[in-house]
Amino acid sequence: LPALMWRGAGLVRDAGGLRDALAHLGDGSASRQHRVAGLICQAALLREESRGAHFRADAPATADAWLGHIVFDRHDGARFDAV
């Protein structure tokens, strides 16, 4: 799991690597760590910008439209809450 996350969701990430990591994680039911890893990859895939430690090689600029939080809800899925 650590090697998969480093390759797919490490310091420099892109959509292809994040999708590959998600494909290898499956439904996340193997462990809590797999579930958390999947949530990290999903949130990083949704945020199409670079900000702080989150650097997307395929979206290197910062975008004011992404000032906020990605929130996951068990029933409603992912949503973006602007600040």
Side-chain angles (χ1 to χ4, degrees):
L1 183 59
L4 172 67
M5 289 301 288
W6 182 252
R7 278 191 318 274
L11 294 177
V12 178
R13 48 184 90 160
D14 60 29
L18 292 164
R19 285 189 189 102
D20 184 57
L22 280 170
H24 283 87
L25 288 167
D27 65 0
S29 63
S31 70
R32 289 182 185 150
Q33 290 86 354
H34 284 79
R35 180 69 181 138
V36 170
L39 292 171
I40 290 168
C41 289
Q42 289 175 49
L45 192 57
L46 288 171
R47 185 177 288 276
E48 295 178 345
E49 66 148 6
S50 292
R51 184 173 300 274
H54 171 75
F55 181 78
R56 288 276 303 259
D58 54 348
T62 304
D64 287 344
W66 283 104
L67 287 173
H69 309 280
I70 294 173
V71 179
F72 287 94
D73 181 275
R74 179 179 303 172
H75 304 290
D76 298 329
R79 73 175 188 273
F80 177 76
D81 288 347
V83 176

